[in-house]
Amino acid sequence: MAVLCSVLMSIACLTACSDAGPHAPDANGGNEKTITLELDRDYDEADPFVNEKLFCVSEDLDALTAEGTLEANGGSVVLEIKNNRTNEVLWSNAWRGDVESETFSVTLEDLRAADEYVVCLIGREMHHATLGIAFDGAFVRERAKPLR
């Protein structure tokens, strides 16, 4: 019975990083995986508004770089990328007031295939915010549900 449980856990871990959608070729002919998040005043009655998406990597990575774009109107926005299991914040930035299509670069270090990560957009007193963050699609897969 213990062997069967071990086999099932191994299969679950290997298939946990399933692809949640197609990849679009980037300008260099490679694949990119873009995670998008949006907030507006109708998103939730709670303040702050929180919108999150999960992702995982297909192999252990020393570093992963992503390019993002943020547009926001009103209030303040915090973007965090963190380890979903430990809640450790790997990268964070904050913006106040109106932001017109600001681009930024993110470098994440020491990502592990066994972990899952979350892109978290937190808005206070927001009218509207849109985020797009593009990762190398050869390594990043969006997750539909958490591992835990």
Side-chain angles (χ1 to χ4, degrees):
M1 185 63 151
V3 172
L4 178 60
C5 288
S6 294
V7 169
L8 290 176
M9 289 294 286
S10 296
I11 291 170
C13 288
L14 290 172
T15 61
C17 199
S18 63
D19 193 357
H23 304 297
D26 66 16
N28 299 324
N31 288 326
E32 72 178 29
K33 175 63 184 166
T34 301
I35 295 176
T36 57
L37 296 170
E38 191 167 353
L39 297 174
D40 63 27
R41 12 177 138 171
D42 298 325
Y43 180 76
D44 196 345
E45 293 179 11
D47 191 29
F49 302 151
V50 177
N51 193 351
E52 299 178 323
K53 289 205 177 166
L54 299 169
F55 72 95
C56 60
V57 293
S58 58
E59 61 186 66
D60 292 351
L61 299 172
D62 292 333
L64 176 68
T65 301
E67 301 298 321
T69 303
L70 176 78
E71 294 179 10
N73 179 267
S76 64
V77 176
V78 174
L79 171 61
E80 293 180 338
I81 301 175
K82 54 190 174 182
N83 183 306
N84 196 43
R85 183 178 45 83
T86 65
N87 227 20
E88 174 190 5
V89 176
L90 306 174
W91 186 91
S92 176
N93 201 356
W95 294 266
R96 293 191 66 70
D98 294 345
V99 179
E100 291 187 33
S101 194
E102 182 174 323
T103 59
F104 56 91
S105 184
V106 175
T107 300
L108 304 172
E109 296 180 353
D110 298 320
L111 299 181
R112 300 292 163 235
D115 287 340
E116 100 185 333
Y117 302 92
V118 61
V119 177
C120 180
L121 189 62
I122 304 163
R124 293 187 183 277
E125 301 174 5
M126 291 301 307
H127 298 290
H128 187 263
T130 304
L131 168 76
I133 188 162
F135 294 94
D136 183 338
F139 299 108
V140 173
R141 303 287 183 265
E142 193 172 336
R143 293 208 21 95
K145 60 183 179 178
L147 290 173
R148 34 177 165 155

